[in-house]
């Protein structure tokens, strides 16, 4: 007896997939700095004191050259005028009285000078010695502080660098479907 053998193969579909990929790389920030160190630029101006003792020293006789010349120059002109006037008067005394009999005008002149010196009343004047002039300047801090400048500039990119690889789906026929038939005699061929 003849047997009909049928072998049926189902079709098989194969599929390769690749997922889509998004690659994003952040760009690091770039730093630039300007650095000027702080400086104090500050110093101390020392205190100072100035003492002018000339007014007090001048009151008891110490004078500088300018004051000495001024005082004695004026006194010299005054004494010169007084001496000129005195000599003129003395000359007229000699002219008027020296020719008279029994007159001893030089002795009389000398006697008058002595008596005028003796009759002078001397006066002592007590004056307060002025205090010296003292001027003091306190110590002080001078200069300006420079706080320096440490400025940091940060340069960044607004967007990250990206790269997108799209996904893929590949479909292929892994096995075709088929129906095979054959005939055997006396048995079924199960494994054919």
């Amino acid at each position: 007896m003849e047997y009909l053998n049928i072998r049926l193969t189902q079709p098989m579909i194969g599929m390769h997939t690749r997922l889509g990929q998004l690659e994003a790389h952040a760009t690091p920030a770039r730093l630039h700095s300007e650095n000027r160190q702080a400086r104090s630029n500050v110093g101390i101006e020392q205190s100072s004191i100035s003492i002018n003792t000339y007014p007090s020293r001048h009151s008891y006789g110490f004078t500088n050259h300018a004051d000495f010349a001024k005082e004695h120059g004026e006194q010299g002109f005054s004494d010169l005028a007084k001496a000129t006037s005195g000599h003129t008067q003395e000359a007229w005394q000699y002219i008027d009285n020296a020719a008279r009999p029994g007159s001893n005008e030089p002795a009389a002149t000398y006697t008058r000078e002595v008596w005028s010196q003796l009759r002078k009343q001397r006066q002592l004047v007590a004056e307060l010695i002025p205090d010296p002039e003292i001027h003091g300047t306190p110590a002080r801090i001078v200069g300006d502080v420079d706080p320096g400048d440490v400025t940091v500039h940060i340069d960044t990119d607004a967007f990250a660098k990206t790269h997108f690889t799209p996904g893929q789906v590949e479909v292929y026929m892994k096995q075709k479907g088929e129906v095979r038939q054959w005939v055997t005699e006396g048995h079924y061929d199960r494994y054919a």
Side-chain angles (χ1 to χ4, degrees), residues 47-184:
S47 59
S48 63
I49 188 167
S50 63
I51 302 173
N52 183 10
T53 59
Y54 181 73
S56 59
R57 291 186 296 152
H58 180 66
S59 68
Y60 56 84
F62 175 82
T63 55
N64 60 20
H65 295 298
D67 288 344
F68 183 83
K70 182 179 177 184
E71 290 173 7
H72 291 286
E74 291 172 1
Q75 183 180 352
F77 284 120
S78 171
D79 290 349
L80 178 64
K82 191 190 293 182
T84 304
S85 172
H87 290 308
T88 304
Q89 282 182 349
E90 198 174 308
W92 280 108
Q93 291 274 338
Y94 283 130
I95 291 170
D96 290 339
N97 299 324
R100 291 186 184 161
S103 168
N104 188 3
E105 190 54 37
T109 303
Y110 179 73
T111 305
R112 279 194 300 272
E113 285 181 12
V114 169
W115 278 109
S116 70
Q117 290 293 329
L118 291 175
R119 288 188 189 124
K120 281 185 182 176
Q121 292 186 355
R122 304 284 180 182
Q123 295 180 353
L124 294 176
V125 178
E127 292 183 1
L128 188 63
I129 295 175
D131 293 332
E133 298 171 3
I134 300 173
H135 300 286
T137 304
R140 62 188 181 119
I141 296 175
V142 293
D144 295 324
V145 175
D146 180 8
D149 182 19
V150 180
T151 305
V152 177
H153 301 285
I154 303 172
D155 296 331
T156 58
D157 294 331
F159 300 99
K161 293 182 180 176
T162 59
H163 177 69
F164 178 69
T165 305
Q168 287 182 341
V169 176
E170 182 183 341
V171 180
Y172 61 95
M173 185 66 71
K174 190 172 183 182
Q175 179 178 332
K176 293 182 180 180
E178 64 180 342
V179 177
R180 288 178 51 204
Q181 299 175 355
W182 68 96
V183 177
T184 57

